[in-house]
Amino acid sequence: MSKGTILVIGSNATELEAQGGGTIKIGQFLNETAVPLMTLVAAGYDFVLATPTGEKPHMDQDSDALIYFANDDEARSRARDFFNGHPSMNDVRTIRSVIDGGLDRFVGLFFPGGHAPVVDVMQDADAGEVLRYFHTKSKPTAAICHGPTGILASLDNAHEFRAALIDGDTAKARELARGWQYAGYRMTVFSRGEEEYAEDNVFHKKLIFNMPDALEAAGGNVVNTDQNFTSFVVVDRELVTAQNPMSDHELAAKFIEVLGKSA
């Protein structure tokens, strides 16, 4: 018997704007998607995957690498098989259709990582409606790496807030975010130092804004570990956030713990 159903909000984005023009190829990170979901399924939970368009998220090809699986090729293969073949990964709904079908049946909410949520999810009105429901009901919400930017969708002016970040207008962003439901929450996200490494060594381009700045402008109390690319998870009330790809297993364990207490 299932312990309950988790709503997973994924992204359809494949490109992210870069500073000075051009784009960066992105997607949903393999381990940040598959590892927490495989762990949840093994623990007795079901899940429903929803995206803004109803299409399956694109896997970030840079994430299909052994470094994110402790150099264990078998673990990477299991994750890849899950991402590509699990029935719930391929029965994708629109976020709107899930809302219309009723949110009461879900016991938790999960935002996978990869840069993709920075493009569409963080300014998606339907994702915002879901977040406001889960927050009102104090139902557990988890997010990893860049996934925590997705919770910014709960802002009333999420699209305008994102535009202010791109313009570097922090004052306007703070004003637009006044009264955010997660203001004052302790949370984590991909750090400034980790992003600089990705910009210099992977993308060879600069991002339009960094993730801690975005969450702090909205009122979040962002904390990061001093050691880049080591596991770090923060739990504050119903919100569970993880800093980077290496936090996948710890995020899953703490999310399951919070789900158990919420049941």
Side-chain angles (χ1 to χ4, degrees), residues 3 7 12 17 40 45 54 95 104 106 108 161 169 174 218 223:
K3 291 182 179 178
L7 176 56
N12 298 119
E17 313 99 307
L40 285 161
Y45 292 92
I95 302 171
D104 289 346
F106 296 105
F161 175 83
D169 192 342
R174 291 185 184 279
V223 290

Side-chain angles (χ1 to χ4, degrees), residues 86-164:
H86 191 280
S88 294
M89 286 296 302
N90 292 290
D91 182 17
V92 188
R93 326 285 175 82
T94 63
I95 302 171
R96 185 71 253 165
S97 71
V98 171
I99 294 170
D100 292 342
L103 296 173
D104 289 346
R105 69 189 181 101
F106 296 105
V107 299
L109 177 63
F110 174 51
F111 291 81
H115 285 78
V118 180
V119 178
D120 55 357
V121 174
M122 75 172 284
Q123 57 180 335
D124 186 84
D126 293 332
E129 185 174 339
V130 171
L131 282 157
R132 288 188 288 273
Y133 168 85
F134 272 79
H135 178 70
T136 299
K137 299 292 184 179
S138 297
K139 290 189 175 186
T141 296
I144 183 169
C145 200
H146 291 77
T149 62
I151 67 175
L152 291 164
S154 58
L155 291 167
D156 290 335
N157 304 292
H159 180 77
E160 292 83 357
F161 175 83
R162 185 179 188 274

Side-chain angles (χ1 to χ4, degrees), residues 192-231:
R192 294 175 179 88
E194 289 165 336
E195 201 73 84
E196 287 172 2
Y197 178 89
E199 290 171 333
D200 294 342
N201 298 280
V202 181
F203 302 139
H204 307 292
K205 294 180 181 179
K206 291 291 184 182
L207 268 63
I208 43 177
F209 56 80
N210 69 55
M211 308 310 121
D213 284 354
L215 291 172
E216 287 172 353
N221 178 10
V222 178
V223 290
N224 290 113
T225 178
D226 292 335
Q227 296 183 329
N228 286 343
F229 299 107
T230 58
S231 183

